[in-house]
Amino acid sequence: MPEATKLPIPVPSNDPKKKQPEERPEEDDKGAASKKKDEDKDGEDLSEEDLQLKNELEMLIERLREPDTKLYRPALETLRTLIRTSTSSMTSVPKPLKFLHPHYPSLQALYETWPASDDKSLFADILSVLAMTYSDTQPRGTLRYRLLSAALSPSSPLSEPGSWGHEYVRHLAAELGEEYNSRELDEAGVEKESEESKVPGTVDDLRNLAIQCATFLLHHNAEPDAVDLLEEMEIVDKIVDLVDENTYERVCQYMIRCVNLLPPPDDVSFLRTAHGIYAKHHKFPQALALSVRLGDQDLIRKDFNAPANSSMKKQLAFLLARAQVPKEWLEAPAEDGMDDGESELPEDLVECLSNTRLSTQFKEFGKELSVLEPKSLEDVYKSHLENTRTATAANVDSAKANLAGTFVNAFVNAGFGNDKLMAKAEEGNSWVYKNKDHGMLSAAASLGLSLLWDTDEGLSQIDKYTYSSEEHIKAGALLAFGILNSGVRTEADAALALLGEYVENKSVSLKTSSIIGLGLAYAGAQRADIMELILPYVADDSVSMEIASLASLSLGFIFVGSGNGEIASTILQTLMEREDKFLDEKWARYMVLGLALLYLGLQDGADATIATLKAIEHQISQTAVVLVDMCSYAGTGNVLKVQELLHYCDEHIDKTPKEKKDDKDTTPEEPPKDDTFQAFAVIGIALVAMGEEIGSEMSLRQLNHLMHYGEPIVRKAVPLALGLVSASNPQLPIMDTLSKYSHDNDLQVALNAIFAMGLIGAGTNNARLAQMLRQLAGYYYKEPDCLFMVRIAQGLVHMGKGTITINPFFSDRSIMSRTAVAGLLATLTAFTDAKGFILDRYHWMLYFLVPAMYPRFLMTLDEELNNIPVTVRVGQAVDVVGQAGKPRTISGFQTHSTPVRLGTTERAELATEEYIPFAHVLEGFVILQKNPGWEKEDKMDI
């Protein structure tokens, strides 16, 4: 057999093949010898059946060579039947193809001599199948003959490609992709094919054939192949019409998993296509989840208003509330009819959209998990387990210790509203008075965190501090109002009413607290009235950089991911007009962050702004470009962006400008500002990569390299990036890495590493982390700053007594919450200069984490929104996309009764079929409907 294939291989062009039949005598000796050998060899191996088949095939080929044209059709029909009906095992080539393989070149030559007719079309169809055995020497032969065959019989359509079997379709699909790509190259003039092997037909012919192949693949459980083929042909949107109720689910899952791995324009088109499929099959929660990912206002409104079932609408409202989608988006866009729009949404829907039930349900959840009791600081620190020498430990600055206590108490008891130090303190014995100066501000603000989401009780509790004569306490109370309302919308708009009047206050601390308070309370709300209130402070040259920058940040929070042009142009204008000495201040990074947050997740929507930023002469423009760029691709896993950011990190910045500019007074400020952009580039790597698992794992290695070889500013930011990439998800390798960094010689690195340990363990109660932090408390007992940070990290690990997460991804880690990312970024920005912010007077910046905090629970509700206990299985989520059959989606599960706590990488599913959930992912609030068929089955079992 191998000898026979030697003939065509050494001949690259197709010319000799044509001459083969005529010039037989020349090659006779060689050919006859090899044939003889071949027949002898085959003769030994072949059974009688095979010999008979071989002879029959050879006879049919002889028929085609005879002059009598009437014999052609029956011979071709018989050939076709023989090829189609031959079954063989998966591993071997079907017998007819094996025997016809040596005759392929002569058949090709014969084909060229026939006149155009239906017979020739059928002949081309058969050659197209035989070409599969020659795919290595004659690329795209299968496709070429298939299209020739179609061209020869325009009247009668060809048989479906699927009728030749699965392997043939896969061959065609592969060749279609190659051909399409080579044609694109041709247009660019890269490669030219010889006329002989050129594939006929237009691009539309290729696409129509691709659609036929995709239809076959979809019906034969090869959904990924169908999607890949259509993606190669750039017509992936056509798949919406090809799927049916059996295949759409698998197609959509595969497409959604591909999104993270696709380059920019394709990823959005995949999401839109999957959305189209879900909408067509009335899968509203899935469709809405994709609309939220796309951030498309019209799609969200359409999906929300699509279902008629009121329970389904409530379920969608819960999803929108979790994603912090402004409820104004759901109203009809008519400008004059705004008031009518509000009255259209029924009361119970507005309640779900505003998240007003969050506080009561969260407390109910705490009660079920028996963590309602307040925790004292000692419960968290467990200092009897620390190996410190108490005599020396007493020297530590107690104001600092009390300040740390403020934050720990607030984070640990967040949302329960019953802590002993603040909310339920005895009259006149409040913890506020155990702090001094700026500590009082943070202490008063911590009340907002303790009463988080509880707008009714919270307002009255905090109100009494607004009458305080001490300015810091008053400012803290204003910030507390903002924190309290974070993520919850009320009809009364209390936050705006209370904070609005203080925005114009003369006092800097009251002004900044009210501006940041508004930012936290209305994060993601995109309210134009608040913009009018705060925007003037960004543009005002007379106010300090601190106020202007915090105003910019606050607007970034409120309009996160909106790409609002008015705010962006105002911030850009300010950056251009402010004097250099102002832009050199540490606050400038917050002004730039405010600008970057506007473009969070907009991808190329930020290109114009980046171009403008490059024109700014001050060196802040470099930081701004990095920040805006990384925010616009946050969570996309875009590889090219990560590489770009890595390039920023490897620049070695020489501090020589210092000498050149000696004549100016700004010398001490100059050098550290120069390389701030590198710190953000490191955080940017984590920000872009955190969307998908493979990317985030790869980023860990890069961060490790940066830690080894980076400049000090880069090393300082690496722990922060590690904390961001795995927020509330304590993975062992990351824990060990951070533990190592927390003993670094550079105290800045150690400090950030300790904080990052708090971030990765936030709200997990992770015992191993708690133990590490206790050891660190002993290790740093003489370093007040580091000890302060260890305490904060301990507070974060036990956040909400283990019931709250700060991971920005929800709905089975598929949707990124923009407000949560904004909160995390603002906090990390403070740590890029911890000495200037957190360890100075601005420790209240730790409260920037609030927008990212959310309960990690699964609450099951009936259609009247009352809690119902249901048995669920909770286990580690398993990725089953593209696997055959219906594999288990969770592994190592335990069975619980709801409400139940879900870890970052965990997934829940109902244990019985007694209820049907309205949501597609069991997470947060899930409304259940009794399964009408359940009781009947139950009775049958009895």
Side-chain angles (χ1 to χ4, degrees), residues 589-590 679-680 683 713 716-717 719-720 748-749 751-756 759 785 788-789 792-793 796 824-839 842-843 845-846 848-849:
R589 67 192 72 189
Y590 273 112
F680 286 113
I683 295 171
I713 184 103
K716 213 161 62 177
L720 300 176
Q748 289 287 302
V749 175
L751 200 82
N752 286 357
I754 297 168
F755 177 67
L759 280 184
D785 285 349
F788 172 71
M789 218 61 251
I792 301 278
L796 289 176
L824 287 168
L825 275 179
T827 318
L828 293 180
T829 304
F831 276 91
T832 52
D833 181 7
K835 280 227 173 339
F837 292 114
I838 301 286
L839 301 175
Y842 305 103
H843 28 71
M845 288 190 170
L846 286 166
F848 282 149
L849 280 176

Short mmCIF file of all heavy atoms in Angstrom, two decimals, residues 589-590 679-680 683 713 716-717 719-720 748-749 751-756 759 785 788-789 792-793 796 824-839 842-843 845-846 848-849:
data_model
loop_
_atom_site.label_atom_id
_atom_site.label_comp_id
_atom_site.label_asym_id
_atom_site.label_seq_id
_atom_site.Cartn_x
_atom_site.Cartn_y
_atom_site.Cartn_z
N ARG A 589 -3.73 61.48 42.01
CA ARG A 589 -4.07 60.13 41.53
C ARG A 589 -5.56 59.83 41.70
O ARG A 589 -6.13 59.07 40.93
CB ARG A 589 -3.21 59.09 42.25
CG ARG A 589 -3.49 58.95 43.72
CD ARG A 589 -2.43 58.13 44.42
NE ARG A 589 -1.16 58.86 44.53
CZ ARG A 589 -0.03 58.29 44.94
NH1 ARG A 589 0.00 57.03 45.24
NH2 ARG A 589 1.07 59.01 45.03
N TYR A 590 -6.19 60.47 42.71
CA TYR A 590 -7.63 60.23 42.88
C TYR A 590 -8.45 60.95 41.82
O TYR A 590 -9.49 60.48 41.40
CB TYR A 590 -8.08 60.65 44.29
CG TYR A 590 -7.91 59.51 45.26
CD1 TYR A 590 -6.99 59.57 46.28
CD2 TYR A 590 -8.67 58.36 45.12
CE1 TYR A 590 -6.82 58.50 47.15
CE2 TYR A 590 -8.52 57.29 45.97
CZ TYR A 590 -7.59 57.36 46.98
OH TYR A 590 -7.44 56.29 47.82
N ALA A 679 3.15 51.59 39.61
CA ALA A 679 2.37 50.91 40.65
C ALA A 679 0.99 50.56 40.10
O ALA A 679 0.47 49.46 40.31
CB ALA A 679 2.23 51.82 41.87
N PHE A 680 0.40 51.52 39.36
CA PHE A 680 -0.94 51.25 38.82
C PHE A 680 -0.89 50.20 37.71
O PHE A 680 -1.84 49.44 37.54
CB PHE A 680 -1.57 52.55 38.31
CG PHE A 680 -2.02 53.45 39.43
CD1 PHE A 680 -1.39 54.65 39.66
CD2 PHE A 680 -3.04 53.05 40.28
CE1 PHE A 680 -1.79 55.47 40.71
CE2 PHE A 680 -3.44 53.86 41.33
CZ PHE A 680 -2.81 55.07 41.55
N ILE A 683 -1.12 46.89 39.42
CA ILE A 683 -2.50 46.61 39.84
C ILE A 683 -3.36 46.33 38.61
O ILE A 683 -4.26 45.49 38.63
CB ILE A 683 -3.06 47.81 40.65
CG1 ILE A 683 -2.26 47.96 41.94
CG2 ILE A 683 -4.53 47.62 40.96
CD1 ILE A 683 -2.55 49.22 42.72
N ILE A 713 8.93 50.74 43.71
CA ILE A 713 7.51 51.12 43.56
C ILE A 713 6.70 49.95 43.01
O ILE A 713 5.54 49.75 43.37
CB ILE A 713 7.37 52.36 42.63
CG1 ILE A 713 5.91 52.84 42.52
CG2 ILE A 713 7.88 52.09 41.22
CD1 ILE A 713 5.63 54.03 43.33
N LYS A 716 6.17 47.31 45.72
CA LYS A 716 5.18 47.75 46.70
C LYS A 716 3.77 47.40 46.24
O LYS A 716 2.88 47.11 47.05
CB LYS A 716 5.31 49.27 46.85
CG LYS A 716 5.01 49.80 48.20
CD LYS A 716 5.58 51.20 48.41
CE LYS A 716 5.00 52.22 47.46
NZ LYS A 716 5.50 53.57 47.73
N ALA A 717 3.57 47.45 44.93
CA ALA A 717 2.21 47.25 44.40
C ALA A 717 1.88 45.78 44.18
O ALA A 717 0.71 45.42 44.04
CB ALA A 717 2.06 48.01 43.10
N PRO A 719 1.88 43.02 46.13
CA PRO A 719 0.91 42.39 47.06
C PRO A 719 -0.51 42.89 46.83
O PRO A 719 -1.46 42.11 46.92
CB PRO A 719 1.42 42.82 48.44
CG PRO A 719 2.82 43.21 48.27
CD PRO A 719 2.96 43.70 46.86
N LEU A 720 -0.66 44.17 46.50
CA LEU A 720 -2.00 44.71 46.27
C LEU A 720 -2.64 44.01 45.07
O LEU A 720 -3.83 43.69 45.08
CB LEU A 720 -1.93 46.22 46.00
CG LEU A 720 -1.34 47.07 47.12
CD1 LEU A 720 -1.24 48.52 46.69
CD2 LEU A 720 -2.17 46.95 48.39
N GLN A 748 7.13 48.99 53.52
CA GLN A 748 5.99 49.31 52.66
C GLN A 748 5.41 48.06 52.02
O GLN A 748 4.20 47.89 51.94
CB GLN A 748 6.45 50.27 51.54
CG GLN A 748 6.77 51.65 52.01
CD GLN A 748 5.50 52.43 52.35
OE1 GLN A 748 4.64 52.59 51.51
NE2 GLN A 748 5.38 52.85 53.59
N VAL A 749 6.31 47.19 51.55
CA VAL A 749 5.87 45.94 50.93
C VAL A 749 5.17 45.08 51.97
O VAL A 749 4.08 44.53 51.73
CB VAL A 749 7.08 45.17 50.33
CG1 VAL A 749 6.63 43.81 49.79
CG2 VAL A 749 7.72 45.98 49.23
N LEU A 751 3.67 45.98 54.67
CA LEU A 751 2.40 46.59 55.04
C LEU A 751 1.31 46.23 54.03
O LEU A 751 0.21 45.81 54.38
CB LEU A 751 2.60 48.10 55.07
CG LEU A 751 1.60 48.91 55.86
CD1 LEU A 751 1.99 48.87 57.32
CD2 LEU A 751 1.59 50.35 55.38
N ASN A 752 1.66 46.41 52.75
CA ASN A 752 0.68 46.10 51.70
C ASN A 752 0.37 44.62 51.65
O ASN A 752 -0.76 44.22 51.35
CB ASN A 752 1.21 46.57 50.34
CG ASN A 752 1.15 48.08 50.20
OD1 ASN A 752 0.66 48.76 51.10
ND2 ASN A 752 1.65 48.60 49.10
N ALA A 753 1.37 43.79 51.94
CA ALA A 753 1.13 42.33 51.93
C ALA A 753 0.15 41.95 53.04
O ALA A 753 -0.72 41.11 52.85
CB ALA A 753 2.44 41.59 52.10
N ILE A 754 0.30 42.61 54.20
CA ILE A 754 -0.61 42.29 55.32
C ILE A 754 -2.03 42.68 54.94
O ILE A 754 -2.99 41.93 55.15
CB ILE A 754 -0.16 43.03 56.60
CG1 ILE A 754 1.23 42.55 57.03
CG2 ILE A 754 -1.16 42.81 57.72
CD1 ILE A 754 1.89 43.40 58.09
N PHE A 755 -2.16 43.86 54.31
CA PHE A 755 -3.50 44.29 53.91
C PHE A 755 -4.07 43.34 52.86
O PHE A 755 -5.25 42.98 52.91
CB PHE A 755 -3.44 45.72 53.35
CG PHE A 755 -4.78 46.20 52.85
CD1 PHE A 755 -5.82 46.42 53.74
CD2 PHE A 755 -5.01 46.43 51.50
CE1 PHE A 755 -7.06 46.85 53.30
CE2 PHE A 755 -6.25 46.86 51.05
CZ PHE A 755 -7.28 47.07 51.95
N ALA A 756 -3.20 42.90 51.93
CA ALA A 756 -3.67 41.98 50.88
C ALA A 756 -4.13 40.66 51.50
O ALA A 756 -5.07 40.03 51.00
CB ALA A 756 -2.56 41.74 49.88
N LEU A 759 -7.50 41.18 52.31
CA LEU A 759 -8.38 41.21 51.12
C LEU A 759 -8.71 39.80 50.64
O LEU A 759 -9.86 39.49 50.33
CB LEU A 759 -7.69 41.95 49.96
CG LEU A 759 -7.70 43.47 49.96
CD1 LEU A 759 -7.07 43.97 48.68
CD2 LEU A 759 -9.11 44.02 50.08
N ASP A 785 2.79 50.79 62.93
CA ASP A 785 2.09 50.83 61.63
C ASP A 785 1.71 49.44 61.16
O ASP A 785 0.58 49.19 60.73
CB ASP A 785 2.98 51.50 60.57
CG ASP A 785 3.01 53.00 60.77
OD1 ASP A 785 2.19 53.49 61.58
OD2 ASP A 785 3.85 53.68 60.14
N PHE A 788 -0.97 47.92 63.30
CA PHE A 788 -2.26 48.51 62.93
C PHE A 788 -2.84 47.78 61.73
O PHE A 788 -4.01 47.40 61.69
CB PHE A 788 -2.02 50.00 62.62
CG PHE A 788 -3.21 50.72 62.03
CD1 PHE A 788 -4.32 51.00 62.81
CD2 PHE A 788 -3.21 51.13 60.71
CE1 PHE A 788 -5.41 51.68 62.27
CE2 PHE A 788 -4.29 51.81 60.16
CZ PHE A 788 -5.39 52.08 60.95
N MET A 789 -1.97 47.52 60.75
CA MET A 789 -2.41 46.86 59.53
C MET A 789 -2.82 45.41 59.80
O MET A 789 -3.78 44.91 59.21
CB MET A 789 -1.25 46.88 58.53
CG MET A 789 -1.67 47.11 57.11
SD MET A 789 -2.46 48.69 56.90
CE MET A 789 -4.11 48.21 56.64
N ILE A 792 -6.26 45.45 61.13
CA ILE A 792 -7.25 45.70 60.06
C ILE A 792 -7.48 44.40 59.27
O ILE A 792 -8.62 44.04 58.97
CB ILE A 792 -6.73 46.78 59.09
CG1 ILE A 792 -6.44 48.08 59.81
CG2 ILE A 792 -7.70 46.99 57.93
CD1 ILE A 792 -7.60 48.95 60.08
N ALA A 793 -6.39 43.72 58.94
CA ALA A 793 -6.51 42.48 58.16
C ALA A 793 -7.32 41.45 58.94
O ALA A 793 -8.14 40.73 58.36
CB ALA A 793 -5.14 41.93 57.83
N LEU A 796 -10.84 42.28 58.51
CA LEU A 796 -11.36 41.95 57.17
C LEU A 796 -11.64 40.46 57.05
O LEU A 796 -12.66 40.05 56.48
CB LEU A 796 -10.34 42.36 56.10
CG LEU A 796 -10.18 43.87 55.86
CD1 LEU A 796 -9.08 44.12 54.84
CD2 LEU A 796 -11.48 44.48 55.36
N LEU A 824 -12.91 48.62 45.30
CA LEU A 824 -11.61 47.97 45.52
C LEU A 824 -10.47 48.83 44.98
O LEU A 824 -9.43 48.99 45.63
CB LEU A 824 -11.58 46.60 44.82
CG LEU A 824 -12.42 45.52 45.50
CD1 LEU A 824 -12.58 44.31 44.57
CD2 LEU A 824 -11.79 45.07 46.80
N LEU A 825 -10.68 49.42 43.80
CA LEU A 825 -9.61 50.23 43.21
C LEU A 825 -9.32 51.47 44.04
O LEU A 825 -8.17 51.87 44.21
CB LEU A 825 -9.99 50.66 41.79
CG LEU A 825 -9.70 49.66 40.69
CD1 LEU A 825 -10.14 50.20 39.35
CD2 LEU A 825 -8.20 49.36 40.64
N ALA A 826 -10.39 52.09 44.56
CA ALA A 826 -10.18 53.29 45.37
C ALA A 826 -9.38 52.95 46.62
O ALA A 826 -8.51 53.70 47.05
CB ALA A 826 -11.53 53.90 45.74
N THR A 827 -9.68 51.78 47.20
CA THR A 827 -8.95 51.37 48.41
C THR A 827 -7.48 51.08 48.07
O THR A 827 -6.57 51.50 48.80
CB THR A 827 -9.57 50.08 49.01
OG1 THR A 827 -10.99 50.20 48.95
CG2 THR A 827 -9.16 49.91 50.46
N LEU A 828 -7.25 50.37 46.98
CA LEU A 828 -5.87 50.02 46.61
C LEU A 828 -5.08 51.28 46.25
O LEU A 828 -3.88 51.35 46.50
CB LEU A 828 -5.87 49.05 45.42
CG LEU A 828 -6.45 47.66 45.71
CD1 LEU A 828 -6.37 46.79 44.47
CD2 LEU A 828 -5.72 46.98 46.85
N THR A 829 -5.78 52.27 45.68
CA THR A 829 -5.08 53.52 45.34
C THR A 829 -4.54 54.18 46.60
O THR A 829 -3.46 54.74 46.60
CB THR A 829 -6.04 54.47 44.60
OG1 THR A 829 -6.56 53.78 43.46
CG2 THR A 829 -5.34 55.72 44.13
N ALA A 830 -5.33 54.09 47.69
CA ALA A 830 -4.84 54.66 48.95
C ALA A 830 -3.58 53.95 49.41
O ALA A 830 -2.70 54.54 50.02
CB ALA A 830 -5.92 54.55 50.02
N PHE A 831 -3.46 52.67 49.08
CA PHE A 831 -2.30 51.90 49.54
C PHE A 831 -1.09 52.06 48.61
O PHE A 831 -0.02 51.57 48.94
CB PHE A 831 -2.66 50.41 49.68
CG PHE A 831 -3.31 50.12 51.00
CD1 PHE A 831 -4.68 50.19 51.13
CD2 PHE A 831 -2.54 49.82 52.11
CE1 PHE A 831 -5.28 49.94 52.35
CE2 PHE A 831 -3.14 49.57 53.33
CZ PHE A 831 -4.51 49.64 53.46
N THR A 832 -1.28 52.73 47.46
CA THR A 832 -0.09 52.96 46.64
C THR A 832 0.81 53.99 47.35
O THR A 832 1.97 54.13 47.03
CB THR A 832 -0.44 53.50 45.24
OG1 THR A 832 -1.32 54.62 45.39
CG2 THR A 832 -1.13 52.43 44.41
N ASP A 833 0.21 54.73 48.30
CA ASP A 833 1.02 55.62 49.13
C ASP A 833 0.46 55.52 50.54
O ASP A 833 -0.18 56.45 51.04
CB ASP A 833 0.93 57.05 48.59
CG ASP A 833 1.77 58.02 49.42
OD1 ASP A 833 2.51 57.55 50.30
OD2 ASP A 833 1.68 59.25 49.19
N ALA A 834 0.66 54.37 51.16
CA ALA A 834 0.02 54.12 52.46
C ALA A 834 0.44 55.16 53.49
O ALA A 834 -0.36 55.61 54.31
CB ALA A 834 0.37 52.72 52.94
N LYS A 835 1.70 55.57 53.43
CA LYS A 835 2.18 56.55 54.42
C LYS A 835 1.45 57.89 54.27
O LYS A 835 1.21 58.60 55.23
CB LYS A 835 3.69 56.77 54.24
CG LYS A 835 4.55 55.69 54.88
CD LYS A 835 5.66 56.34 55.67
CE LYS A 835 6.52 55.43 56.51
NZ LYS A 835 5.98 54.14 56.88
N GLY A 836 1.12 58.22 53.02
CA GLY A 836 0.47 59.51 52.78
C GLY A 836 -1.02 59.49 53.04
O GLY A 836 -1.64 60.53 53.28
N PHE A 837 -1.64 58.32 52.96
CA PHE A 837 -3.09 58.26 53.13
C PHE A 837 -3.51 57.49 54.39
O PHE A 837 -3.84 58.09 55.40
CB PHE A 837 -3.74 57.62 51.90
CG PHE A 837 -3.64 58.45 50.66
CD1 PHE A 837 -2.90 58.02 49.57
CD2 PHE A 837 -4.30 59.67 50.57
CE1 PHE A 837 -2.81 58.79 48.41
CE2 PHE A 837 -4.21 60.45 49.41
CZ PHE A 837 -3.47 60.00 48.34
N ILE A 838 -3.45 56.17 54.32
CA ILE A 838 -4.04 55.34 55.38
C ILE A 838 -3.34 55.57 56.72
O ILE A 838 -3.99 55.66 57.76
CB ILE A 838 -3.94 53.84 55.00
CG1 ILE A 838 -4.68 53.59 53.69
CG2 ILE A 838 -4.49 52.96 56.11
CD1 ILE A 838 -6.17 53.61 53.75
N LEU A 839 -2.01 55.66 56.71
CA LEU A 839 -1.30 55.78 57.98
C LEU A 839 -1.21 57.24 58.41
O LEU A 839 -0.73 57.54 59.49
CB LEU A 839 0.12 55.19 57.85
CG LEU A 839 0.13 53.72 57.46
CD1 LEU A 839 1.54 53.24 57.23
CD2 LEU A 839 -0.53 52.87 58.54
N TYR A 842 -5.89 59.87 56.82
CA TYR A 842 -7.00 59.49 55.92
C TYR A 842 -7.33 58.01 56.02
O TYR A 842 -7.64 57.37 55.04
CB TYR A 842 -6.65 59.88 54.47
CG TYR A 842 -6.30 61.33 54.36
CD1 TYR A 842 -4.97 61.73 54.25
CD2 TYR A 842 -7.29 62.31 54.44
CE1 TYR A 842 -4.64 63.08 54.20
CE2 TYR A 842 -6.96 63.65 54.39
CZ TYR A 842 -5.64 64.03 54.27
OH TYR A 842 -5.32 65.37 54.22
N HIS A 843 -7.26 57.50 57.28
CA HIS A 843 -7.55 56.06 57.42
C HIS A 843 -8.99 55.75 57.07
O HIS A 843 -9.34 54.62 56.79
CB HIS A 843 -7.25 55.59 58.85
CG HIS A 843 -7.40 56.68 59.86
ND1 HIS A 843 -8.62 57.18 60.21
CD2 HIS A 843 -6.48 57.40 60.54
CE1 HIS A 843 -8.46 58.14 61.10
NE2 HIS A 843 -7.16 58.32 61.31
N MET A 845 -10.28 56.06 54.47
CA MET A 845 -10.34 55.54 53.10
C MET A 845 -10.56 54.03 53.07
O MET A 845 -10.91 53.48 52.03
CB MET A 845 -9.06 55.88 52.35
CG MET A 845 -8.98 57.35 52.03
SD MET A 845 -7.64 57.68 50.92
CE MET A 845 -7.99 59.37 50.48
N LEU A 846 -10.35 53.39 54.21
CA LEU A 846 -10.64 51.94 54.24
C LEU A 846 -12.12 51.69 53.98
O LEU A 846 -12.51 50.61 53.56
CB LEU A 846 -10.25 51.35 55.61
CG LEU A 846 -8.75 51.20 55.84
CD1 LEU A 846 -8.46 50.94 57.31
CD2 LEU A 846 -8.18 50.06 55.01
N PHE A 848 -13.74 52.76 51.66
CA PHE A 848 -14.01 52.65 50.22
C PHE A 848 -14.35 51.21 49.85
O PHE A 848 -14.83 50.94 48.75
CB PHE A 848 -12.77 53.07 49.41
CG PHE A 848 -12.59 54.57 49.31
CD1 PHE A 848 -11.33 55.13 49.22
CD2 PHE A 848 -13.69 55.41 49.31
CE1 PHE A 848 -11.17 56.50 49.12
CE2 PHE A 848 -13.53 56.79 49.20
CZ PHE A 848 -12.27 57.34 49.12
N LEU A 849 -14.05 50.27 50.76
CA LEU A 849 -14.38 48.87 50.47
C LEU A 849 -15.88 48.62 50.49
O LEU A 849 -16.35 47.61 49.99
CB LEU A 849 -13.72 47.94 51.51
CG LEU A 849 -12.25 47.61 51.33
CD1 LEU A 849 -11.76 46.77 52.49
CD2 LEU A 849 -12.02 46.87 50.03
#
